[in-house]
Structure formats: structure tokens, C-alpha cells
Amino acid sequence: QVQLVESGGGSVQAGGSLRLSCAASGSRYSRYCFGWFRQAPGKEREGVAGIDTGVGITTVADSVKGRFTISQDNAKNTVYLQMNSLKPEDTAQYYCAARPFRWGAAPCTVLLGDQFESWGQGILVTVSS
């Protein structure tokens, strides 16, 4: 029911920055878990960051902690992933995902891809050395 569109990807040199945007439309609820995931060639899908849009609580994977930040602009129905100090290892297809917040479900800090209902098409981030 929620449509997600990512933007802001591209190519950047190591040490550079990019900001990914995830624009949501068609939402039926006021509170969602949003997550950013990535998948590199030959690698498993990895949860990168998550946010509870109702209270603003965020989580970031250890692999990107200190470099990536997730944030939201509820007025624009948009979630962002600010990526700084990018490394070649960050090269991957990045996906935005969303699921309605439910009291009986896992908290938004749990980044398990199979728990998310809505997915964007993905956007490529390439970091060159």
C-alpha cells in the first residue's frame, strides 16, 4: 500500500558523501518503521539503518556507525540516509523499506528484511578508490 521511491544515488570517490532520499506515498498509518538495506555483489542483504517515524528513534548498523545517519521529514513523507566518509566496501544497491508500526511486532530497530512489506526499486551507490 505504501509506494517508495529512492533517489540520490550515484558514483562518488572514497571519502565523499551522498544523501539518499526515500519518498513515501499512499500511506494509511501515521507511524511506520523505515529501513535502509543494501546488497553488494556476492553478499547477503544487510540492514543499514532504521527509524521509528512516530518517536524518531533510530538505529544504525555497526558496519556504518559513525558514518551514516538516518533521519526523517514527516511533513514531506521522506526518509533520508546521509552517508559520509564513504568506502569502496559501501558499494551496493541500496533499498528503502517500510512497514507499519505494530505493538505486537518487532521494534523498528530490528532490521530484518523479511519483516518489511513495502520496498523501493533500489538505487545504486558506487564508491571508487
Side-chain angles (χ1 to χ4, degrees), residues 38-46 89 91-93:
R38 68 184 183 185
Q39 188 164 24
K43 303 288 186 179
E44 296 290 322
R45 183 175 60 194
E46 175 188 17
E89 307 90 85
T91 296
Q93 193 84 358

Side-chain angles (χ1 to χ4, degrees), residues 40-102:
K43 303 288 186 179
E44 296 290 322
R45 183 175 60 194
E46 175 188 17
V48 176
I51 187 168
D52 183 332
T53 65
V55 296
I57 296 175
T58 63
T59 188
V60 179
D62 288 341
S63 60
V64 302
K65 191 167 295 182
R67 300 186 297 118
F68 290 12
T69 304
I70 188 170
S71 62
Q72 64 179 322
D73 185 340
N74 283 335
K76 297 182 178 180
N77 293 318
T78 301
V79 173
Y80 304 96
L81 183 67
Q82 179 67 47
M83 305 184 293
N84 298 326
S85 302
L86 283 162
K87 305 175 180 179
E89 307 90 85
D90 297 318
T91 296
Q93 193 84 358
Y94 283 73
Y95 298 88
C96 178
R99 59 181 170 97
F101 176 86
R102 298 184 177 97

